[in-house]
Amino acid sequence: MPQINAVLFDFDDTLVDWSQRANNDGEIYRCHVSNVYDYLQETTVALPDRDAFFQGYLDAITQAWQEAKKTWGGANFAAIWQHTLATFGLHPAPGELDKLLQVFDWQPVPGVILYPDTIETLGALRAHGYKLGLVTNSMMPMWMRDIELAAYHLLDYFDARATSGDVGYMKPHPAIYQHVLQQLGVPPQQAVFVGDRPENDIAGANELGFVTVLMSPPHLNHEETAVQPHFIIKQLRELLPILAALANEV
Ligand SMILES: [Mg+2]
């Protein structure tokens, strides 16, 4: 058993708890899309009404994820906005698109909270000398998800992190794990991957040779799946004795 030098995490429902979120999946975007709408209204004559604009955005997201899942490519947020705007006959220059993503003003999702042991567990792992990475299936660029990481005081714990939107591949595609492993300078055989989705997080990590840990808090109701992790935990702090045991096996 090789020595474990790094622990890589999924983000949503692995480090933060989505069970108490206030709105459904589409609604979490409404106020942010409205920010973009307000901004465009200052300079654009022929905008559709606000609800049609929001629906166009949601449709573009659905379509982008459906396409991405065919090849485990990464849905890309700037491309989604380009598509949304094109639907309404708007064709912003690349610089203008960047501005729209800033105006979107992404923030932590209301009701999404840290697990009670997230900070203490990451702190303990760092104190033990493990490199930490973050690998998230997210259409947004990392700088947008960093807004959440900073708000939860998680940003400084990670040596490397990536979204599928930036990398162009999503878990379980090997390229997104490899992207972060390369930044850490650690091969998958010397790393643990922790995630809550068997078919995405665990399947891809198993394939590459990580030690895999399924995060399975009660609200996720994991059913029997063909994908088997090496370990299953209900709380993040359970990682610490697992890593201690792996270190003793070396
Ligand atoms: Mg997740």
Side-chain angles (χ1 to χ4, degrees):
M1 174 65 81
Q3 183 180 325
I4 297 298
N5 291 314
V7 184
L8 280 68
F9 291 89
D10 164 58
F11 183 24
D12 297 303
D13 270 327
T14 297
L15 297 175
V16 289
D17 174 357
W18 278 69
S19 66
Q20 307 297 319
R21 72 170 181 267
N23 297 315
N24 72 26
D25 286 347
E27 281 305 306
I28 65 176
Y29 300 117
R30 188 181 287 274
C31 66
H32 302 288
V33 174
S34 219
N35 292 339
V36 174
Y37 188 89
D38 288 341
Y39 173 78
L40 287 172
Q41 226 175 11
E42 289 171 16
T43 53
T44 312
V45 187
L47 275 184
D49 72 43
R50 200 176 287 268
D51 284 342
F53 187 76
F54 182 54
Q55 192 56 50
Y57 164 85
L58 293 180
D59 291 346
I61 287 184
T62 303
Q63 194 187 337
W65 280 97
Q66 278 172 356
E67 273 307 306
K69 282 175 183 169
K70 288 179 188 169
T71 58
W72 303 122
N76 175 283
F77 200 51
I80 285 168
W81 268 108
Q82 206 161 23
H83 185 95
T84 304
L85 296 172
T87 306
F88 300 115
L90 303 172
H91 301 281
E96 182 68 4
L97 212 50
D98 292 343
K99 174 71 182 166
L100 290 183
L101 298 199
Q102 280 159 23
V103 168
F104 188 79
D105 191 25
W106 183 236
Q107 296 294 325
V109 173
V112 173
I113 55 171
L114 282 171
Y115 290 112
D117 57 354
T118 303
I119 296 278
E120 72 176 56
T121 304
L122 295 180
L125 292 173
R126 282 201 74 105
H128 281 95
Y130 294 105
K131 292 180 180 176
L132 301 186
L134 186 83
V135 183
T136 172
N137 279 358
S138 170
M139 61 190 172
M140 292 177 184
M142 197 68 237
W143 69 261
M144 290 179 76
R145 302 309 306 268
D146 281 351
I147 295 168
E148 291 160 82
L149 290 174
Y152 295 118
H153 304 287
L154 294 178
L155 194 51
D156 292 340
Y157 288 98
F158 294 99
D159 304 289
R161 50 198 197 286
T163 72
S164 52
D166 281 342
V167 176
Y169 293 98
M170 65 191 277
K171 296 170 286 184
H173 195 288
I176 187 167
Y177 304 88
Q178 282 162 338
H179 182 90
V180 172
L181 286 168
Q182 237 157 38
Q183 289 181 50
L184 296 173
V186 174
Q189 295 77 14
Q190 294 175 20
V192 169
F193 195 88
V194 188
D196 67 287
R197 293 199 174 200
E199 308 293 343
N200 296 93
D201 295 310
I202 303 303
N206 275 346
E207 193 72 24
L208 275 169
F210 282 88
V211 172
T212 53
V213 179
L214 179 68
M215 175 63 170
S216 186
H219 74 271
L220 291 181
N221 298 320
H222 282 127
E223 289 169 13
E224 282 299 310
T225 145
V227 180
Q228 292 300 321
H230 296 101
F231 300 94
I232 300 176
I233 59 174
K234 291 194 182 308
Q235 292 185 301
L236 283 170
R237 62 166 66 94
E238 293 170 49
L239 279 175
L240 302 174
I242 290 172
L243 281 157
L246 290 171
N248 283 332
E249 284 175 24
V250 174

